[in-house]
Amino acid sequence: MAVDLTPRQPTKAHGGDGGAYYEWSPAELPMLGVASIGAAKLSLAAGGMSLPSYSDSAKSVLILTGKGTVGIVLPEATKEKVVAVKEGDALALPFGVGTWWHNAPGSATELVVLFLGDTSKGHKPGQFTNFQLTGSSGIFTGFSTEFVGRAWDLKETDASKLVSSQPASGIVKLTAGQKLPEPVAEDRKDMALNCLEAKLDVDIPNGGRVVVLNTLNLPLVKEVGLGADLVRIDAHSMCSPGFSCDSAYQVTYIVRGSGRVQVVGPDGKRVLETRIEGGSLFIVPRFHVVSKIADASGMEWFSIITTPNPIFSHLAGKTSVWKAISPEVLEAAFNTTPEMEKLFRSKRLDSEIFFAPN
């Protein structure tokens, strides 16, 4: 049975004055369940705080807008890392990492954070399960006061008071005067990479640019086990048709701009043809070929690949498989003339991955 590949926007899961948490559901985007991928966004208003929690999935993270602070507690760490983050920052969060997020009270913009991750070991294929450490749905609300008191060496009355003192769930807005730790410059080392400032892995004039997240520029990528990149293509540019040749799914979130996308699967069947715009998410099945063309506004997207070191095969451009295949094979395969084969081979000799409009 064919799976619906239509790009989707997220729906609000919960929130309040401090902000909101949005997620994509496998019920609306079935490929999430098929690929065991979770996707969600956190939006914090000025003064908003996402309470400490941990997740059942490793995640790749991108700061979409704004700036703020994230607290990160790595497994077995004795002290949290307090990291300043801003638009374009990418982070890799392995299993078992505790985090909290905060947008400064005086901030003029929302802090919006994108989470994409592998849910194959999680509770719900295709959806993150977050475990709150405090609040009305916090872990310790489920334990008896006897257990909490013994664990924290508190009287049961004090344990009960502490556990029930935060009535909110997940996201709060701090009151005037409440302060959180200031970011520590050295804590940012190896924890975040700004994709808008990093060295470009691909830079094609009037075509597009790519920054690839890897174990060299973001070491925790190895523990997360997901490849990721931020791609920006210019007005009316095309991203070459290509596919992941290592049995990986490609999960794409459109950061801004708009354009058109086509995906082709087995038997030459076009399984997706649609417009895509900022805020939408879609998933390309394994071995399917995908290509995109930007509108006049250009287009930017963040993708994860379900393998730490993805390998792509392109079907157009100077690095395409066509340039490697012998002329005789091309003539026979296309059932064409030597003249047409020469014309075909003479094109895209200098173009790679992105094609600027003629």
Side-chain angles (χ1 to χ4, degrees):
M1 179 183 293
V3 178
D4 183 8
L5 303 181
T6 305
R8 302 290 184 188
Q9 298 275 346
T11 56
K12 184 177 178 180
H14 61 84
D17 292 341
Y21 182 80
Y22 302 83
E23 61 185 2
W24 283 265
S25 166
E28 297 180 351
L29 187 57
M31 278 301 300
L32 289 171
V34 174
S36 290
I37 291 294
K41 283 201 301 186
L42 172 67
S43 178
L44 292 179
M49 179 186 184
S50 176
L51 297 174
S53 67
Y54 65 94
S55 175
D56 65 349
S57 305
K59 301 174 182 176
S60 292
V61 180
L62 180 70
I63 308 301
L64 297 174
T65 60
K67 59 183 179 180
T69 305
V70 57
I72 302 173
V73 182
L74 297 170
E76 299 184 347
T78 57
K79 186 180 179 182
E80 68 183 355
K81 292 180 180 291
V82 183
V83 180
V85 292
K86 63 180 181 179
E87 180 177 335
D89 277 351
L91 301 89
L93 300 178
F95 285 105
V97 169
T99 59
W100 54 263
W101 299 83
H102 179 235
N103 190 10
S107 176
T109 59
E110 291 186 330
L111 173 64
V112 183
V113 187
L114 173 71
F115 303 95
L116 301 176
D118 176 12
T119 64
S120 60
K121 298 180 181 178
H123 286 262
K124 304 173 186 175
Q127 198 164 11
F128 297 132
T129 299
N130 298 315
F131 293 82
Q132 301 295 326
L133 295 180
T134 66
S136 61
S137 59
I139 290 294
F140 285 93
T141 61
F143 283 103
S144 67
T145 52
E146 177 195 0
F147 272 61
V148 177
R150 286 285 299 274
W152 293 346
D153 193 21
L154 292 174
K155 295 178 181 178
E156 289 190 26
T157 52
D158 292 332
S160 177
K161 184 184 300 183
L162 185 58
V163 168
S164 61
S165 60
Q166 176 56 272
S169 176
I171 299 173
V172 300
K173 186 165 187 175
L174 299 185
T175 58
Q178 281 187 292
K179 292 185 178 181
L180 295 180
E182 291 293 326
V184 180
E186 50 265 35
D187 283 355
R188 185 177 166 87
K189 185 175 184 291
D190 294 337
M191 297 302 300
L193 173 76
N194 190 275
C195 296
L196 304 179
E197 301 171 355
K199 179 182 177 182
L200 297 171
D201 294 279
V202 176
D203 185 7
I204 298 175
N206 301 315
R209 291 150 296 285
V210 182
V211 171
V212 178
L213 305 184
N214 55 47
T215 55
L216 295 178
N217 55 24
L218 197 59
L220 286 177
V221 165
K222 182 178 181 180
E223 294 185 42
V224 170
L226 299 169
D229 56 30
L230 183 70
V231 180
R232 290 166 283 165
I233 63 174
D234 297 322
H236 303 300
S237 288
M238 180 183 196
C239 182
S240 168
F243 64 95
S244 173
C245 48
D246 46 9
S247 189
Y249 293 95
Q250 184 176 353
V251 185
T252 299
Y253 173 82
I254 307 301
V255 176
R256 58 180 54 86
S258 60
R260 292 174 289 145
V261 61
Q262 292 185 358
V263 178
V264 177
D267 301 319
K269 182 179 180 181
R270 190 182 308 154
V271 294
L272 178 65
E273 180 176 17
T274 190
R275 288 196 76 259
I276 45 178
E277 57 186 18
S280 60
L281 182 91
F282 70 100
I283 300 175
V284 179
R286 293 180 294 186
F287 298 110
H288 284 50
V289 178
V290 60
S291 183
K292 310 177 191 75
I293 297 178
D295 289 338
S297 59
M299 189 160 52
E300 178 180 338
W301 65 84
F302 183 69
S303 291
I304 64 167
I305 315 296
T306 56
T307 180
N309 297 297
I311 301 173
F312 284 95
S313 184
H314 292 279
L315 301 179
K318 70 177 184 179
T319 59
S320 75
V321 297
W322 302 121
K323 303 304 183 188
I325 292 178
S326 62
E328 296 82 3
V329 172
L330 275 182
E331 288 177 32
F334 281 110
N335 189 28
T336 191
T337 64
E339 292 75 21
M340 181 57 73
E341 187 281 328
K342 288 180 181 178
L343 176 63
F344 176 67
R345 189 178 293 275
S346 70
K347 302 297 183 179
R348 299 293 185 206
L349 295 177
D350 300 320
S351 303
E352 182 179 2
I353 306 178
F354 305 125
F355 310 138
N358 295 326

